[in-house]
Amino acid sequence: MLNQRVAEAESLRAFFQDQWNHLQHLLDQRQQQKIRERQKTRLLDHAVEILVTGTDGRLRAISRYQEQLRQSTRALLIYIEDIVSAMPPPLLLTKQTFVMDPTVRSLFQGERLIDKLFHEQRILENFLEHQIEICREVHALIHLFKTEKHVLGSAMWGEMLVSGVPQTIVCFVGHELIDIKINETDLRSVLKKILFDSVVIHLRLETTRIRHERSDEKFRQDVLDPEQNIDNPKVYLRVLQQLIASPKQLLNLNREQLTIDKMGIKVSNAHEDSTTSTDTIDLQELSIGNRPSRILCMVRYPLDRLSARHQNGDE
């Protein structure tokens, strides 16, 4: 009987211990959730402050300005997150990919351009000097521009060489290295920041344009009616919210599949000659407002290229 009671007591203690552990786990989960929510709120408020500082600091004179901008700013951040998540993996830059990968071959036209991007003004070397961890490769963000020139050239149509054929020559120019990071995760994070900052700059330019392009009559009306005057911070806030409400008009990533031949001439299915060797490449073309669009790509640069460069005596 005593042993039975001892067993029952131990079973009861174990039951209450399990319940207590479960309750403690639920409390810990709830506490962690609160911490995450507070962190998200702080990050969102920080983004709002960047937006206000970058457009018109007078917005801070408006009661609860942060609260009024949180929803639209959150939507913009989510939109940017989706754009960055949709970016394809980084392009690997090696001797092999310059031969085998049509996108690498077409965008960069040779290893010399890549070496110039990474080593001009010791960009890569300066980055590595401040890194504690040893890495085998770095990840970089590069943008460039696509140009198209319409010409009349010669082309094979079947077995006939035809002259005076309208052709479009595609070139990739203006390569610029934007940032370098150790890994892809950090690179995507910095891309989000770059895109958000770029949108803030565009919003400031757009609201400035709205101010300066007012007609004399509109300006006089605004002076007489402060509720319609964009120089009034409350009106400015409404205009800003309207602009942010359409993120696709602020920022857009267009994905284009382009087919070109070895001479850089665009090939369409209608006139494609099966005897002509062509490359099909995927482009990510970023546009911010009405500014010229640019090609955006992430790359992986193995550091053994740097070692080989030093061994060859290039500085």
Side-chain angles (χ1 to χ4, degrees):
M1 180 64 71
L2 180 59
N3 290 339
Q4 181 180 356
R5 289 181 177 176
V6 170
E8 290 175 351
E10 290 179 351
S11 177
L12 192 60
R13 281 197 297 271
F15 172 77
F16 281 119
Q17 185 64 45
D18 288 342
Q19 293 298 307
W20 171 256
N21 290 340
H22 179 64
L23 177 61
Q24 191 67 39
H25 178 67
L26 292 177
L27 291 173
D28 289 343
Q29 280 188 324
R30 184 176 180 183
Q31 183 64 24
Q32 290 299 321
Q33 179 65 25
K34 288 182 177 179
I35 292 174
R36 286 193 294 269
E37 288 176 356
R38 285 197 295 267
Q39 184 179 17
K40 287 182 179 179
T41 300
R42 285 196 298 269
L43 291 174
L44 181 57
D45 287 345
H46 179 62
V48 169
E49 289 304 317
I50 293 175
L51 176 63
V52 170
T53 299
T55 53
D56 193 333
R58 294 179 304 164
L59 292 173
R60 294 189 176 93
I62 301 174
S63 175
R64 299 186 305 170
Y65 71 93
Q66 279 192 339
E67 181 179 335
Q68 296 185 62
L69 284 170
R70 276 177 188 155
Q71 183 175 349
S72 54
T73 303
R74 182 187 292 111
L76 175 60
L77 291 173
I78 293 173
Y79 178 72
I80 291 175
E81 173 83 29
D82 291 342
I83 284 181
V84 175
S85 297
M87 285 283 294
L91 299 169
L92 179 61
L93 303 179
T94 65
K95 289 183 179 296
Q96 291 74 24
T97 57
F98 271 101
V99 175
M100 302 300 296
D101 190 325
T103 302
V104 172
R105 185 170 61 245
S106 299
L107 291 183
F108 300 108
Q109 301 135 17
E111 298 178 71
R112 185 179 296 274
L113 173 60
I114 287 298
D115 288 338
K116 180 181 179 182
L117 281 175
F118 277 89
H119 301 290
E120 195 171 43
Q121 300 177 355
R122 291 180 52 85
I123 293 176
L124 178 58
E125 289 83 353
N126 292 337
F127 171 79
L128 293 174
E129 285 175 1
H130 295 87
Q131 298 304 311
I132 298 177
E133 57 182 298
I134 299 176
C135 56
R136 295 183 177 180
E137 64 180 13
V138 294
H139 292 67
L141 181 66
I142 295 175
H143 80 200
L144 55 144
F145 295 93
K146 181 186 73 172
T147 65
E148 295 188 356
K149 183 179 180 181
H150 301 288
V151 299
L152 295 177
S154 300
M156 293 295 298
W157 284 11
E159 297 181 355
M160 296 177 56
L161 178 62
V162 181
S163 61
V165 177
Q167 295 177 333
T168 302
I169 300 176
V170 179
C171 295
F172 298 100
V173 299
H175 298 70
E176 183 178 353
L177 195 155
I178 304 301
D179 210 333
I180 304 177
K181 293 296 177 185
I182 290 296
N183 55 58
E184 182 180 348
T185 300
D186 289 348
L187 190 65
R188 289 184 184 270
S189 294
V190 79
L191 176 56
K192 295 174 192 175
K193 182 181 184 303
I194 289 172
L195 294 182
F196 182 76
D197 290 345
S198 298
V199 169
V200 171
I201 292 173
H202 171 70
L203 289 169
R204 183 180 69 240
L205 294 174
E206 184 65 12
T207 51
T208 300
R209 182 192 65 79
I210 294 173
R211 274 195 178 112
H212 291 310
E213 289 188 358
R214 288 178 293 179
S215 64
D216 292 340
E217 179 62 26
K218 174 62 176 171
F219 182 79
R220 285 192 293 269
Q221 291 176 358
D222 287 348
V223 171
L224 295 174
D225 186 1
E227 294 301 318
Q228 301 298 324
N229 191 344
I230 193 173
D231 293 325
N232 179 348
K234 291 183 179 180
V235 177
Y236 186 94
L237 177 60
R238 290 202 303 268
V239 172
L240 191 61
Q241 288 176 311
Q242 291 170 1
L243 292 172
I244 301 174
S246 302
K248 287 186 178 181
Q249 295 182 14
L250 301 173
L251 179 71
N252 188 45
L253 188 69
N254 180 46
R255 297 165 184 84
E256 177 188 5
Q257 194 170 73
L258 179 68
T259 301
I260 55 177
D261 66 14
K262 300 302 181 182
M263 301 298 293
I265 298 173
K266 185 186 291 188
V267 178
S268 64
N269 292 331
H271 297 93
E272 185 172 355
D273 182 357
S274 59
T275 63
T276 302
S277 178
T278 61
D279 287 331
T280 298
I281 60 178
D282 294 315
L283 303 177
Q284 318 297 315
E285 199 161 8
L286 178 73
S287 58
I288 300 175
N290 55 4
R291 283 188 279 172
S293 59
R294 51 188 170 170
I295 306 298
L296 196 64
C297 65
M298 298 185 294
V299 301
R300 291 164 51 201
Y301 185 91
L303 293 182
D304 56 8
R305 291 179 58 86
L306 178 62
S307 301
R309 189 171 184 272
H310 287 165
Q311 289 174 3
N312 292 333
D314 293 332
E315 293 297 338

